[in-house]
Amino acid sequence: MELDGLFMKIMQEEVRMSDVFRYVSNHAEIGVGLALLDEQEDYVFFLAGTRHKFTSNELFYAGIGGHLEPGEDLLSCGKREAMEEIGAEVHIQCSPVNPVYISKDKEIRTITMTDECKPLAISEMIHPSGSPREGEIYYLVIYQATLRSSLTHLKTDEVSGVIAMKKEQVKKGVFRRATLQTLVDEGARLIASSPHIQPDVIVYPIGTAEALSYYLNYMESNQR
């Protein structure tokens, strides 16, 4: 099924998560991202680690999460990735409302899902140029979650730091590139960081952080 056909299909019918997976290519990548809240109800993201290519003055931030392994369910994937990346236990929460679908072109629609445990969103991501799967789509299933323990370690090749950001900062994420110092001055907190991260580094969202920015703005606009 063509991707545009998939998008139209899930807009018009009640679906289960298994239906969405069945519609996509067998070779498509699927992963879980966590819209992770700490005890202060700030959103927790990781700052890119050493395995990620970035310039000396720019650094991306993204949600905790990763690829779904064969035979693994979505909730188990989210919990496993949190433990591997930041050494923390998380509680994944089911959304009480239907999720949104964010297409690769950033068209956003609410979809009717019959699963008991609904995600917040499903987002189509495009692998960036220069990556092994350049131009291919990665389906990211995003769940709300809360931290249940403190961070015990960082997977330093993937995570150079962890930042907690205010909701308003997350909403602004896709509209600006700000320095780390600017975010801290606005109320963000560095929960953990490597010595090489400088306050003047410019940070920007990808993956779950980018999708969450679109999601929060979409939900706010629909409540007006």
Side-chain angles (χ1 to χ4, degrees):
M1 179 177 288
E2 295 296 324
L3 293 174
D4 289 344
L6 164 64
F7 190 61
M8 292 302 297
K9 184 86 171 175
I10 64 177
M11 290 304 108
Q12 297 169 359
E13 298 184 1
E14 289 187 354
V15 297
R16 295 182 63 84
M17 189 62 68
S18 57
D19 295 329
V20 178
F21 290 168
R22 187 166 62 249
Y23 294 151
V24 305
S25 164
N26 291 333
H27 302 292
E29 285 187 277
I30 298 169
V32 174
L34 300 181
L36 185 60
L37 294 168
D38 67 6
E39 69 283 353
Q40 297 186 36
E41 297 193 346
D42 292 334
Y43 286 96
V44 177
F45 303 104
F46 77 85
L47 297 164
T50 55
R51 63 173 270 189
H52 302 286
K53 294 181 179 179
F54 51 85
T55 65
S56 59
N57 67 331
E58 289 192 345
L59 192 66
F60 72 74
Y61 61 92
I64 307 301
H67 294 77
L68 189 68
E69 294 185 349
E72 187 176 41
D73 65 78
L74 293 166
L75 302 187
S76 296
C77 174
K79 293 175 182 178
R80 173 183 56 77
E81 289 287 350
M83 183 57 66
E84 289 179 359
E85 292 183 353
I86 59 175
E89 294 182 1
V90 298
H91 172 65
I92 297 179
Q93 299 166 294
C94 303
S95 174
V97 299
N98 283 313
V100 303
Y101 195 96
I102 306 172
S103 77
K104 63 183 185 298
D105 299 317
K106 308 311 177 192
E107 182 178 357
I108 307 174
R109 300 280 182 83
T110 300
I111 62 176
T112 303
M113 183 168 284
T114 59
D115 295 63
E116 289 186 8
C117 190
K118 301 178 180 68
L120 291 180
I122 302 171
S123 180
E124 295 181 353
M125 292 173 51
I126 304 296
H127 284 283
S129 59
S131 64
R133 305 189 69 163
E134 178 179 345
E136 294 183 21
I137 288 187
Y138 174 45
Y139 295 89
L140 186 60
V141 184
I142 301 171
Y143 287 93
Q144 187 85 62
T146 54
L147 278 172
R148 297 189 67 180
S149 69
S150 58
L151 282 57
T152 59
H153 66 268
L154 301 183
K155 192 175 183 181
T156 54
D157 62 327
E158 294 187 13
V159 181
S160 63
V162 178
I163 187 170
M165 295 171 59
K166 301 296 181 183
K167 180 179 179 180
E168 288 302 314
Q169 293 179 311
V170 179
K171 287 167 55 181
K172 293 177 182 177
V174 293
F175 302 112
R176 65 171 182 172
R177 294 194 173 203
T179 66
L180 190 58
Q181 186 62 57
T182 295
L183 294 180
V184 171
D185 290 343
E186 292 175 347
R189 292 172 290 115
L190 274 176
I191 299 174
S193 86
S194 300
H196 73 272
I197 299 179
Q198 300 299 313
D200 61 350
V201 66
I202 297 170
V203 296
Y204 60 93
I206 70 165
T208 299
E210 180 184 31
L212 189 57
S213 181
Y214 284 113
Y215 172 83
L216 291 173
N217 283 290
Y218 174 82
M219 296 301 286
E220 183 178 271
S221 66
N222 282 352
Q223 291 172 356
R224 291 172 182 168

